[in-house]
Amino acid sequence: MTTTPSLRTAAAKYASLGYAIIPLHWVKPDGSCSCNRIDCDSEGKHPLGEHGASTPMTNPELVTAQWDKYPNANIGIVAGASRLCIIDIDSPTARDRFYDIADVDTITTMHDTPISKTGKGWHIVFADPSSEYKPSVGRGDDKGIDIRAGVSYIVAPPSIHKNGSTYEWTQHGPPDAAPLLTTWLHEYITSRGTKKDDTILTDEVTIEAGSRNDMLFELGYAMRRKGFTREAIEAALLSMNATRVKPPLSLNEVALIAKSCASYEPQDVPLLMPIATLDELVEE
């Protein structure tokens, strides 16, 4: 009979394997989030305390101390800082879509990948030694197939989902070793990252619960690539949060998203950066 390790033991184990860990809020017995926010729609999934995705922990002793303080905290593994790229499959429909489009080499490689069962889907873990990949949200036919990379994170076993189920490793876990991405996966992820969604910021579109964090991150990341400061990114995201997000995120969550975006190095900065207004950026 397999015994499920405590959250404290599991978190320390992940850190000892070299993964970057953050404590997450947990789901209370009544089904609400430990953050005690009435409008919380990320029960047991968002960062707790001072360690967010841009400031994860890798020291097992520090991790242990955090779980001594918050023994019920769920566990977050930050993908990029852990040298991982994770395929987040959100539903059986998304899983079927992924298997339909993946090539034979990728399907074969997945037999050796660590896979965890989430509340309603799966996390498929690959190695990303260079941390070169960026997070992206699946849209259209790929809805429900998200890429967890960079400062994005996954909820790791044996955390508790809001539906009462326990996250668990169903294959080769915990991930002390993961295979590299296949050629097909590399092309799939990088091509998704360059796709442009022309409807995301139009006046008619409202960002609704379930995609709020990812949408704001994508806007902030686009700004950072062009060299905008954390302060400018936060101001833009706060404006977007107030006018387009239904219901809006808390000011603290928006600030954390801006901080995560600012952790990237600018990439598309001209020698003489023109002054752009927020309206011009949104239009772009």
Side-chain angles (χ1 to χ4, degrees), residues 129-164:
S130 63
S131 296
E132 66 176 296
Y133 297 100
K134 307 301 180 188
S136 66
V137 180
R139 308 193 191 287
D141 291 338
D142 290 347
K143 182 177 177 58
I145 305 174
D146 298 336
I147 307 302
R148 304 298 177 187
V151 295
S152 64
Y153 59 89
I154 62 166
V155 183
S159 300
I160 306 298
H161 192 270
K162 66 179 180 180
N163 66 12

Side-chain angles (χ1 to χ4, degrees), residues 4 27 46 49-50 62 88 100 123 162 186 196 217 221 232 235:
T4 302
V27 180
H46 56 103
E50 61 186 30
L62 181 58
D88 184 356
D100 284 343
H123 289 148
K162 66 179 180 180
H186 167 76
K196 184 176 181 180
F217 177 85
Y221 177 63

